[in-house]
């Protein structure tokens, strides 16, 4: 199978990806979820004319000129309005959020009122009609569309939904990613390693990347380099209802790279295998029924670069989220050699110098070196057959953080 260009591979991967089905969740559990339908107000807010300040509910005519003496005939705390009517030269002590009493049309703030004792107060500053009142429906009315389909439920959106009397909301289902590492040489962190073994690290970064775009991650552990061991974890992924199965390693062309054979044996229709990129050439994508299968390279840096370029956009699309790579223009902080037929993603440190971004690639780019990736905050993107570039030349940088 010929090498596929990065853009073409991404187009194939996203071609039929659409938001998953909707589900209802309690509002308290809906943070960072995506609305599957418009959110409609079930009530009017405020549901009555309400006081916006602590003070006194009065008739504007009575306080047009000051000082004005008024008789206090009652109190209206929030949640318990005054049942009577305010008449001439009368006032009701009122607190923020309480309903405006009948007969009153203005709130005088308490700083402008002097208590004379004996149920009398004196207004010391004039107040025009309608001041300090939140009118019925000031924020929204019953039946209003408050949030559009596709809105991410951030703190403000959640509070708005609550004020609209929504106990539950319809949101896009979180994509479930089942992660399967493969390799006899791998052991989990904290293990006592043999002389030929290494720590399995890729799953942690892939799971974190999946969660960063709203997906759920299920780590199914490490499969030995045997077809039956890999097939057993694939079966678990299917049984768990995975929307995406991600395999780590074992999808190349070696004698022990068995993932492709297992997945095609289970019925996966292969879409592509091998990308014209570095790092990340041995990337596999196919469909196992409704489940999307992505075989990531085993090298840690290649695995995480492919996760950024392919897995995160796919999961965002399935979860109903907008996603854009943070691609910026910069100048090179060091010279770079000419490129071959593959698109390169070169780890670099990006800094702002005199209002311009400068990207300095690391001198070594081995795809096993995770420390360098952790130190990098960007990837210099080098197009296939790009000529040699001197320091100071323009470049494109994919920002990582």
């Amino acid at each position: 199978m010929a090498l596929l260009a990065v853009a073409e591979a991404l187009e194939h991967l996203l071609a039929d990806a659409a938001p998953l089905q909707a589900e209802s969740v309690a509002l308290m559990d809906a943070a960072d979820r995506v609305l599957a339908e418009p959110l409609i107000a079930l009530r009017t807010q405020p549901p009555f004319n309400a006081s916006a300040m602590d003070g006194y509910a009065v008739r504007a005519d009575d306080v047009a000129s000051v000082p004005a003496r008024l008789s206090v005939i009652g109190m209206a705390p929030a949640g318990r309005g005054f049942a009577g009517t305010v008449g001439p030269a009368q006032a009701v002590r009122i607190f923020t959020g309480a309903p405006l009493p009948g007969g009153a049309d203005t709130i005088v703030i308490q700083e402008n009122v002097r208590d004379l004792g004996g149920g009398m107060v004196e207004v010391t500053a004039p107040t025009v009609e309608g001041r300090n009142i939140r009118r019925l429906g000031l924020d929204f009315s019953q039946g209003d569309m408050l949030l559009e389909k596709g809105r991410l439920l951030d703190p403000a959106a959640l509070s708005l939904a609550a004020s609209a009397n929504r106990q539950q909301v319809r949101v896009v289902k979180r994509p479930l990613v089942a992660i399967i590492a493969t390799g006899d040489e791998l052991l989990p962190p904290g293990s006592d390693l043999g002389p030929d073994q290494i720590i399995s690290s890729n799953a942690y970064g892939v799971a974190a990347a999946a969660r960063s775009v709203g997906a759920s991650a299920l780590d199914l552990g490490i499969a030995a380099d045997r077809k039956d061991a890999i097939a057993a974890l694939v079966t678990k992924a299917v049984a768990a209802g995975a929307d995406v199965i991600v395999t780590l390693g074992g999808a190349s062309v070696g004698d022990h790279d068995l993932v492709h054979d297992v997945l095609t044996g289970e019925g996966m229709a292969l879409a592509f295998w091998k990308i014209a990129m570095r790092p990340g050439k041995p990337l596999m994508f196919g469909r196992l029924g409704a489940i999307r299968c992505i075989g990531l390279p085993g090298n840690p840096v290649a695995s995480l670069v492919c996760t950024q370029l392919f897995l995160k956009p796919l999961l965002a699309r399935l979860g109903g989220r907008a996603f854009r790579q943070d691609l910026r223009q910069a100048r090179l902080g060091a010279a770079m050699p000419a490129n071959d037929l593959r698109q390169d993603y070169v780890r670099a440190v990006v800094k702002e110098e005199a209002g311009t971004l400068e990207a300095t690639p690391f001198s070594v780019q081995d795809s096993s070196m995770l420390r360098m990736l952790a130190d990098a905050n960007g990837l210099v993107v080098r197009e296939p057959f790009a000529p040699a570039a001197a320091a100071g030349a323009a470049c494109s940088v994919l920002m990582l953080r």
Side-chain angles (χ1 to χ4, degrees):
M1 185 175 288
L3 295 182
L4 199 62
V6 171
E8 191 176 353
L10 184 61
E11 184 179 351
H12 278 305
L13 188 135
L14 297 179
D16 62 347
L20 300 173
Q21 70 268 28
E23 60 182 1
S24 294
V25 300
L27 193 60
M28 189 56 75
D29 300 323
D32 203 36
R33 300 296 296 270
V34 176
L35 279 177
E37 59 186 28
L39 188 135
I40 307 300
L42 300 181
R43 68 188 293 271
T44 295
Q45 175 63 22
F48 42 74
N49 294 329
S51 176
M53 302 289 286
D54 291 349
Y56 291 82
V58 301
R59 297 171 0 123
D61 289 346
D62 291 333
V63 295
S65 61
V66 292
R69 292 193 173 190
L70 305 175
S71 172
V72 180
I73 62 172
M75 182 178 293
R80 192 170 68 251
F82 178 72
T85 301
V86 177
Q90 293 181 335
V92 168
R93 181 75 168 107
I94 196 167
F95 296 88
T96 304
L100 183 69
D105 56 19
T106 302
I107 304 295
V108 178
I109 61 174
Q110 60 188 17
E111 292 85 347
N112 293 337
V113 177
R114 188 161 62 95
D115 190 351
L116 301 176
M120 297 296 295
V121 294
E122 183 178 74
V123 178
T124 59
T127 305
V128 299
E129 182 178 347
R131 287 299 300 273
N132 304 314
I133 295 172
R134 294 175 181 146
R135 295 294 177 186
L136 167 72
L138 173 67
D139 198 355
F140 54 81
S141 297
Q142 183 175 345
D144 284 353
M145 187 187 77
L146 302 181
L147 299 170
E148 294 184 349
K149 176 182 177 180
R151 171 65 185 263
L152 190 69
L153 290 170
D154 56 19
L158 287 168
S159 292
L160 177 60
S163 69
N165 205 26
R166 301 299 296 253
Q167 186 179 22
Q168 292 190 324
V169 285
R170 296 283 288 171
V171 295
V172 179
K173 176 182 175 288
R174 287 189 187 276
L176 175 61
V177 184
I179 302 171
I180 301 171
T182 67
D184 289 337
E185 75 280 17
L186 300 178
L187 286 176
S191 300
D192 292 326
L193 299 179
D196 302 318
Q197 294 177 306
I198 60 173
I199 294 295
S200 177
S201 59
N202 297 7
Y204 299 91
V206 172
R211 294 182 181 118
S212 75
V213 289
S216 299
L218 173 63
D219 181 11
L220 291 177
I222 302 167
D225 282 324
R226 301 191 320 272
K227 289 185 177 180
D228 64 315
I230 298 170
L233 294 188
V234 170
T235 298
K236 285 186 177 181
V238 174
D243 301 292
V244 179
I245 296 175
V246 171
T247 59
L248 306 173
S252 187
V253 293
D255 292 339
H256 295 285
D257 294 331
L258 306 173
V259 169
H260 169 266
D261 291 344
V262 170
L263 288 172
T264 53
E266 294 286 332
M268 182 189 76
L270 181 66
F272 59 79
W273 185 14
K274 301 178 187 177
I275 310 298
M277 62 181 289
R278 183 177 28 242
K281 174 184 172 184
L283 178 78
M284 180 185 70
F285 176 67
R287 294 287 295 270
L288 182 60
I291 303 173
R292 292 161 171 83
C293 302
I294 297 181
L296 294 176
N299 280 324
V301 175
S303 179
L304 292 177
V305 169
C306 288
T307 293
Q308 178 69 34
L309 294 176
F310 298 103
L311 181 60
K312 287 175 69 174
L314 173 63
L315 295 177
R317 182 77 63 87
L318 295 176
R321 295 169 180 256
F323 182 85
R324 290 184 64 185
Q325 301 286 5
D326 187 5
L327 195 64
R328 305 185 195 180
Q329 294 303 301
R331 67 187 182 200
L332 287 173
M336 297 191 73
N339 199 12
D340 60 13
L341 78 166
R342 289 197 270 172
Q343 185 157 305
D344 279 2
Y345 293 87
V346 182
R347 283 156 283 174
V349 174
V350 184
K351 297 180 179 178
E352 187 172 343
E353 298 286 347
T356 301
L357 292 181
E358 182 179 83
T360 304
F362 290 100
S363 58
V364 180
Q365 292 287 325
D366 189 282
S367 60
S368 69
M369 298 173 67
L370 274 173
R371 180 176 178 178
M372 188 188 303
L373 181 61
D375 289 342
N377 62 338
L379 301 171
V380 175
V381 183
R382 297 274 285 162
E383 296 296 328
F385 304 109
C395 67
S396 293
V397 179
L398 175 58
M399 299 300 296
L400 299 177
R401 50 186 169 85

